Amino acid sequence: MYDITPWVRVLIRGVAVAAAPLAALYATTALLLAWVEVASPAPGGTGLLAVLTEPVRTYLEDCTRALPITAETGYRFWQFVGCTSFLFAVYNRGFGRVIWGLWGAAFVAMVWAGAPDTGRAVSAGIAVFAWSAASAVAWRGMRLRRPMPAAETRLRELRVDVRLHGSTPPPRFEGWLSSRLN
């Protein structure tokens, strides 16, 4: 077809291999954000998701008044960091799991701070349960200890080769056991 020099082929394949995971991450994050957009009620809505999202929106509205960004931008960024860290945690990236843990702690703290005083404990409890359920997926297969190698790899065959140098004969037993030992 076309005669392409080998280094150009290697360059094109390298760019494709590097771009494929980033494109997959971008597509998955976009799908998760779209799902969150559909599942999240409008501000002032009701339901279980409103128990989780309304305190966060309230907290961000209170905290972004003096900042050059709007509360909605802060909320979208909060969603993006949550979805991205969840994806990195699911795909066994250590740093993603750390960010997912920090995001969960911030999520519960924002729900606690943004909820009304009368429902603060209930909404924070629901936030902890929701984040824990998602963490069961995000932290699956995580081990706190290093896995021990299999027993077959730990056991090694020990060969002992005894060689006696010299001309001394082996000892002879004498006495009442001599007939049994010699």
Side-chain angles (χ1 to χ4, degrees):
M1 191 163 180
Y2 295 107
D3 188 25
I4 300 176
T5 58
W7 69 269
V8 174
R9 261 190 234 150
V10 169
L11 180 68
I12 291 172
R13 286 182 184 157
V15 169
V17 166
L22 293 175
L25 177 68
Y26 177 76
T28 309
T29 304
L31 286 173
L32 280 174
L33 286 175
W35 179 81
V36 167
E37 180 66 31
V38 169
S40 295
T46 60
L48 189 59
L49 281 176
V51 171
L52 301 175
T53 58
E54 284 305 309
V56 172
R57 288 181 188 268
T58 304
Y59 176 79
L60 288 173
E61 285 173 4
D62 291 342
C63 292
T64 57
R65 286 189 185 134
L67 297 176
I69 63 168
T70 64
E72 189 62 28
T73 304
Y75 183 73
R76 295 291 175 214
F77 181 71
W78 174 77
Q79 285 180 325
F80 173 75
V81 170
C83 290
T84 306
S85 64
F86 177 77
L87 289 175
F88 278 126
V90 166
Y91 293 116
N92 292 328
R93 303 285 183 236
F95 187 67
R97 289 180 171 173
V98 171
I99 297 298
W100 175 251
L102 294 174
W103 184 87
F107 170 56
V108 172
M110 287 168 40
V111 169
W112 176 268
D117 291 337
T118 57
R120 188 171 277 175
V122 173
S123 60
I126 292 172
V128 167
F129 285 131
W131 180 74
S132 297
S135 293
V137 175
W139 287 342
R140 71 175 176 19
M142 188 169 115
R143 293 184 176 96
L144 297 178
R145 294 184 188 172
R146 298 168 108 196
M148 294 294 292
E152 297 84 29
T153 61
R154 285 189 289 157
L155 298 177
R156 291 192 171 84
E157 187 176 328
L158 179 64
R159 294 184 184 191
V160 178
D161 189 19
V162 179
R163 296 182 185 182
L164 296 175
H165 298 285
S167 62
T168 58
R172 302 219 18 107
F173 295 101
E174 295 183 16
W176 63 276
L177 285 177
S178 65
S179 64
R180 295 181 188 196
L181 296 176
N182 289 331

